[in-house]
Amino acid sequence: MALMRSMLLAASKSQWLRERIPQFEFSRRAVARFMPGEDLSSALNAAAGFQQLGIGAVLTYLGENVKDAAEARRVTDHYCDAISRIAETGLNGEISVKLTQLGHDTRTEISRENLQQIVDRAQRSRNFVWIDMEDSSYTDSTLDVYRAIRSQYSNVGVCLQAYLYRTRRDLETLLPLSPGIRLVKGAYREPPHIAFPKKKDVDTNFMVLAADLLNTIERHKTRVAIATHDARLCERIQKIVIEKDIPKNAFEFQMLYGIRSAAMKDLTQNGYRGRVLISYGPAWFPWYMRRLAERPANLLFVLRNVLSS
Ligand code: FDA
């Protein structure tokens, strides 16, 4: 299983595969399980469906490692338009961006300026922007950009990954900013000196960090999103909430479109707040490989699509 995960994560970095696999009809059919469509309208329609169930959305336009400043500008304009469309349609929908899609690889400053434009646009629409966390080579620079932007705007949060040894320390240094934090396990291939290699240890650290985060809500005015599909961890978090008498609406659960939707419905029916992250856009290949790596059993689903094509 670990070998398969490694192979899928290595494939996610291949430019050759990135250019070829999306051309096959079977791959487009398989990816439809995790995204409602490639255009913004499909994502907005899906968000409207969740809204009827009392579930919010976070929209993300897929793409990463954009090397061209003009393309990064185009992505920035796309997000600004998306924020306008969300406001026009009255949706409870936020957005989530990757700094490398906003030009971070070209120059950190470019991504910071593009992000600022998006966050500023969101602030005027009373909306909120999340910053995804990419692989560990970007952790420092992503947190630097986050600190800079958070000192100017309150409507911005960042993702932290429980598989990194450093995350508890990062969380401590961010708390004075009253940050928005989305806690995830982590989706990239990392060496054992940087990240816990064993799932059991990642899960343990996730719970430690989640408990820490829940404790910061009142004292540090942290906005907390617990982003996992792990039923056992979700149950343990609900236990802490009851034991510590934390209001159910003081934080939210977040999950990805197409994964454990019934569990998200149950949580919101039980009084918790929930959001589904809806991805869209044609540049889905590396993101889709990471989804397969999270659960290599998903490859059977791909295989069925190959056989039926
Ligand atoms: P785990 O992988 O243990 O899965 C628990 C259960 O969930 C599985 O047993 C299975 O039932 C189901 N499941 C999980 N993944 C599945 C899949 N792909 N297909 C089918 N079933 C699946 N990562 C990152 O590095 N940077 C980021 O910015 C983000 N952002 C982000 C936002 C949101 C809202 C979520 C939910 C997740 C992310 N992630 C992320 C991804 C995250 O790091 C992690 O890889 C996935 O959430 C899978 O981990 P789980 O916590 O679900 O646990």
Side-chain angles (χ1 to χ4, degrees):
M1 208 62 123
L3 179 65
M4 185 60 83
R5 180 172 186 272
S6 261
M7 282 164 61
L8 288 163
L9 290 176
S12 76
K13 293 275 173 201
S14 161
Q15 190 60 32
W16 192 85
L17 290 174
R18 200 181 279 204
E19 282 162 15
R20 282 160 186 81
I21 294 290
Q23 292 168 12
F24 292 101
E25 181 53 32
F26 78 83
S27 66
R28 303 174 83 84
R29 273 207 309 272
V31 81
R33 181 182 166 195
F34 293 115
M35 58 184 251
E38 291 192 355
D39 58 356
L40 175 60
S41 298
S42 308
L44 292 170
N45 286 340
F50 284 113
Q51 186 149 325
Q52 286 180 357
L53 302 169
I55 299 168
V58 183
L59 304 191
T60 197
Y61 178 52
L62 292 169
E64 49 205 83
N65 301 116
V66 166
K67 299 286 190 291
D68 173 21
E71 170 64 6
R73 253 291 6 106
R74 202 186 60 74
V75 172
T76 304
D77 291 344
H78 175 91
Y79 272 123
C80 289
D81 284 350
I83 292 165
S84 301
R85 294 270 300 275
I86 290 168
E88 282 158 24
T89 46
L91 281 174
N92 173 9
E94 301 181 338
I95 63 163
S96 197
V97 302
K98 281 192 172 36
L99 290 185
T100 69
Q101 195 186 11
L102 301 180
H104 203 68
D105 286 342
T106 319
R107 213 156 37 85
T108 311
E109 203 45 36
I110 293 183
S111 61
R112 205 190 62 72
E113 283 165 16
N114 287 335
L115 176 68
Q116 176 164 353
Q117 191 176 330
I118 295 168
V119 174
D120 193 83
R121 179 71 195 78
Q123 189 189 49
R124 285 186 276 122
S125 292
R126 295 171 188 271
N127 206 329
F128 194 92
V129 178
W130 292 98
I131 304 173
D132 285 2
M133 189 56 81
E134 301 179 62
D135 72 56
S136 63
S137 65
Y138 296 107
T139 312
D140 278 323
S141 56
T142 301
L143 294 181
D144 286 347
V145 170
Y146 178 67
R147 286 189 186 93
I149 201 93
R150 179 63 188 85
S151 66
Q152 292 175 274
Y153 297 89
S154 57
N155 60 321
V156 59
V158 68
C159 177
L160 292 182
Q161 297 154 323
Y163 65 8
L164 297 184
Y165 301 126
R166 59 176 286 170
T167 295
R168 201 158 190 210
R169 202 176 61 250
D170 286 335
L171 177 58
E172 274 165 23
T173 64
L174 289 170
L175 286 178
L177 298 172
S178 296
I181 302 288
R182 174 213 286 155
L183 181 65
V184 302
K185 288 190 187 175
Y188 296 83
R189 190 158 66 141
E190 300 291 355
H193 66 279
I194 287 185
F196 294 101
K198 290 193 183 141
K199 179 173 162 33
K200 177 170 72 67
D201 297 326
V202 177
D203 291 357
T204 303
N205 202 38
F206 189 100
M207 270 319 295
V208 169
L209 291 163
D212 281 356
L213 267 173
L214 292 172
N215 279 331
T216 68
I217 295 173
E218 222 178 81
R219 194 147 42 103
H220 294 278
K221 305 276 171 272
T222 318
R223 176 169 173 194
V224 174
I226 304 289
T228 182
H229 316 93
D230 191 322
R232 215 171 39 88
L233 296 188
C234 289
E235 264 170 38
R236 289 174 64 189
I237 285 157
Q238 291 173 73
K239 268 195 191 148
I240 296 179
V241 166
I242 293 166
E243 277 163 21
K244 302 222 162 178
D245 207 15
I246 297 169
K248 286 180 175 176
N249 63 1
F251 71 103
E252 68 192 30
F253 285 103
Q254 293 189 358
M255 293 188 188
L256 300 176
Y257 177 91
I259 304 179
R260 300 201 69 235
S261 320
M264 179 53 97
K265 276 187 217 158
D266 286 349
L267 285 167
T268 48
Q269 275 167 9
N270 285 329
Y272 289 97
R273 285 171 43 203
R275 256 176 215 284
V276 170
L277 190 147
I278 302 169
S279 300
Y280 63 97
W284 46 257
F285 179 75
W287 161 86
Y288 182 53
M289 287 298 109
R290 291 196 292 274
R291 299 293 79 81
L292 293 182
E294 281 157 4
R295 197 162 174 259
N298 288 340
L299 280 170
L300 290 176
F301 185 76
V302 179
L303 200 64
R304 273 204 294 277
N305 277 291
V306 176
L307 294 174
S308 66
S309 58

